[in-house]
């Protein structure tokens, strides 16, 4: 679809390219510009630097589509470790975590310990409890459309005990305006993004224009509602429209927030903070950065030549 750069996504599936890129140390410029580190220490440092600038953070331990229960447990352990480290540094007022349910067991087959849905729910509960004890929150990332119902069902279950748990909705899906209506209730934290997966036309808008229009319709529902909208986009037009709509609906600054990815439009992140807006940066970290990096590079055609040059020079 138009949101993706197909050549780069196809290239990213080549084992040769994967081996070449994966042998680059994470400190290589192109990787570090999107992923500040592989370890808990590195990401806590990156968090502290942003917090010093008045920017909030949500941390994502990279790794998705786990088909291995032990790997899912290792991911849960990584979240518990980072939550403890954030708490020890006094950062949990400004930093939360984002979790992909497929990284904590959602994709496991039904014959494993009650099935992926149940395992992911229990693992997410463990992370939510640790986040609550550390004084912060969890947001459930949204993945491809085949997981949307399961993810929203897990969200509903989690919110019974942890109503602060954040949801993510993707404007490219036809269903999302209705999902926004269902989730625009008091206390409900909802991140609205365009959507990052390659979805078929039966379920998703295919043109940039249609996705943007859907994003604006969803924004109106969320900003007019009682919840806490988290406006996740780097798109300058949508940021401007969101600001205008926020004042039209009588929203005070701080009753919603802007979110951007680490390394993308950092000047805009600072400009918004200076303008009094609440801004949160999503920081991915860990060793499994390859797929994430490829999705980010694929989002911008200009990145292809930048990427190839850095592959050749290995910088
Ligand atoms: C905080 C946050 C959380 C997210 N969580 C999810 C999630 O849970 N599920 C999901 O499916 N998707 C998620 N996404 C990704 C999102 O769906 C989009 O794929 C991504 O944000 C690009 O869309 P955009 O709104 O920035 O608009 P685009 O139209 O892609 O970009 C608008 C402008 O932003 C700049 N820009 C965008 N991408 C790049 C880049 N890679 N490098 C440099 N500049 C760039 C360019 O100036 C571009 O013109 C998240 C995004 C953010 C910001």
């Amino acid at each position: 679809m138009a949101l993706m750069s197909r050549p780069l996504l196809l290239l990213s599936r080549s084992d040769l390219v994967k081996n070449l890129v994966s042998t680059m140390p994470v400190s290589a410029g192109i990787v570090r510009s999107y992923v500040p580190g592989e370890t808990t220490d590195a990401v806590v440092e990156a968090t502290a630097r942003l917090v010093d600038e008045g920017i909030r953070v949500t941390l994502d331990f990279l790794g998705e589509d786990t088909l291995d229960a032990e790997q899912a447990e290792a991911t849960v352990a990584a979240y518990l470790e980072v939550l403890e480290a954030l708490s020890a540094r006094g950062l949990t007022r400004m930093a939360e975590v984002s979790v992909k349910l497929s990284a904590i067991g959602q994709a496991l087959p039904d014959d494993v310990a009650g099935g992926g849905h149940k395992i992911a729910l229990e693992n997410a509960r463990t992370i939510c409890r640790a986040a609550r004890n550390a004084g912060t929150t969890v947001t459930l990332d949204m993945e491809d459309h085949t997981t949307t119902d399961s993810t929203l069902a897990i969200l509903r279950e989690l919110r019974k005990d942890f109503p602060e748990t954040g949801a993510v909705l993707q404007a490219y899906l036809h269903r999302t305006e209705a999902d926004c209506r269902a989730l625009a209730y008091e206390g409900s934290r909802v991140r609205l993004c365009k959507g990052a997966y390659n979805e078929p036309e039966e379920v998703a808008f295919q043109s940039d224009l249609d996705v943007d229009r859907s994003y604006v319709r969803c924004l109106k529902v969320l900003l007019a509602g009682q919840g806490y909208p988290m406006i996740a986009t780097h798109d300058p037009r949508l940021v401007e429209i969101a600001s205008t709509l926020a004042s039209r609906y009588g929203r005070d600054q701080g009753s919603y927030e802007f979110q951007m990815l680490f390394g993308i439009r950092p000047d805009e992140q600072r400009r918004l903070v200076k303008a009094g807006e609440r801004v949160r940066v999503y920081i991915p970290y860990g060793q499994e950065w390859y797929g994430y990096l490829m999705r980010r590079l694929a989002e911008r055609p200009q990145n292809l030549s930048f990427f190839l040059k850095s592959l050749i020079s290995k910088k």
Side-chain angles (χ1 to χ4, degrees), residues 9 17 25 35 56 61 67 83 115 148 165 182 202 227 241-242 292 309:
L9 281 181
V17 173
V35 181
R56 288 167 164 75
F61 180 70
L67 287 170
L83 283 163
T148 309
T165 307
E202 296 75 52
I241 290 170
Y292 176 86
K309 270 189 226 142

Side-chain angles (χ1 to χ4, degrees), residues 156-200:
R156 280 193 296 277
E157 275 305 305
L158 288 172
R159 281 188 171 180
K160 288 180 189 163
D161 295 321
F162 306 99
E164 65 274 25
T165 307
V168 178
L169 296 175
Q170 299 152 317
Y172 64 18
L173 293 184
H174 299 150
R175 60 178 287 169
T176 293
E177 199 180 332
D179 287 333
C180 285
R181 262 189 219 105
L183 286 179
Y185 56 84
E186 198 172 339
S188 171
R189 299 167 62 243
V190 181
R191 175 194 302 159
L192 179 66
C193 63
K194 287 189 186 179
Y197 297 80
N198 207 352
E199 300 288 16

Side-chain angles (χ1 to χ4, degrees), residues 39-223:
T39 63
T40 299
D41 284 351
V43 79
V44 170
E45 279 313 313
T47 301
R49 282 196 293 276
L50 285 167
V51 167
D52 273 350
E53 295 187 67
I55 295 175
R56 288 167 164 75
V57 166
T58 186
L59 294 177
D60 166 39
F61 180 70
L62 289 166
E64 44 204 91
D65 285 339
T66 302
L67 287 170
D68 173 348
E70 275 176 27
Q71 180 59 40
E73 278 167 29
T75 298
V76 175
Y79 275 106
L80 302 191
E81 182 181 296
V82 84
L83 283 163
E84 209 179 305
L86 289 171
S87 171
R89 286 284 294 270
L91 292 168
T92 47
R93 200 180 61 81
M94 296 286 275
E96 63 143 28
V97 293
S98 283
V99 176
K100 283 192 173 48
L101 292 177
S102 74
I104 56 169
Q106 191 181 32
L108 285 166
D110 285 349
D111 56 354
V112 180
H117 181 91
K118 186 160 171 274
I119 293 170
L121 172 59
E122 287 319 310
N123 283 336
R125 214 189 278 286
T126 302
I127 299 171
C128 286
R129 199 174 299 118
R132 165 86 63 82
N133 289 339
T136 189
T137 51
V138 175
T139 293
L140 300 183
D141 280 353
M142 190 57 87
E143 301 178 64
D144 75 81
H145 79 278
T146 63
T147 64
T148 309
D149 283 330
S150 162
T151 299
L152 291 179
I154 288 175
L155 176 86
R156 280 193 296 277
E157 275 305 305
L158 288 172
R159 281 188 171 180
K160 288 180 189 163
D161 295 321
F162 306 99
E164 65 274 25
T165 307
V168 178
L169 296 175
Q170 299 152 317
Y172 64 18
L173 293 184
H174 299 150
R175 60 178 287 169
T176 293
E177 199 180 332
D179 287 333
C180 285
R181 262 189 219 105
L183 286 179
Y185 56 84
E186 198 172 339
S188 171
R189 299 167 62 243
V190 181
R191 175 194 302 159
L192 179 66
C193 63
K194 287 189 186 179
Y197 297 80
N198 207 352
E199 300 288 16
E201 62 185 355
E202 296 75 52
V203 298
F205 298 109
Q206 302 294 307
S207 75
D208 288 348
L209 185 63
D210 285 340
V211 174
D212 290 357
R213 283 183 175 147
S214 169
Y215 197 103
V216 174
R217 288 195 299 275
C218 293
L219 261 181
K220 286 182 178 167
V221 173
L222 293 177
L223 285 167

Side-chain angles (χ1 to χ4, degrees), residues 34 142 170 191 194-197 233-234 261 296 299-300:
Y34 288 103
M142 190 57 87
Q170 299 152 317
R191 175 194 302 159
K194 287 189 186 179
Y197 297 80
T233 181
H234 314 97
L261 301 175
R296 297 292 77 81
E299 274 161 3
R300 280 190 98 198

Side-chain angles (χ1 to χ4, degrees), residues 50 53-56 233-234 258-275 277-282:
L50 285 167
E53 295 187 67
I55 295 175
R56 288 167 164 75
T233 181
H234 314 97
F258 288 99
Q259 297 192 341
M260 294 190 189
L261 301 175
F262 179 83
I264 303 184
R265 306 199 69 208
D267 293 345
E268 175 67 358
Q269 296 165 14
R270 288 185 200 110
R271 184 193 72 77
L272 287 166
V273 170
K274 278 211 185 84
E277 299 288 4
R278 210 177 257 197
V279 176
R280 189 179 300 274
V281 166
Y282 182 108

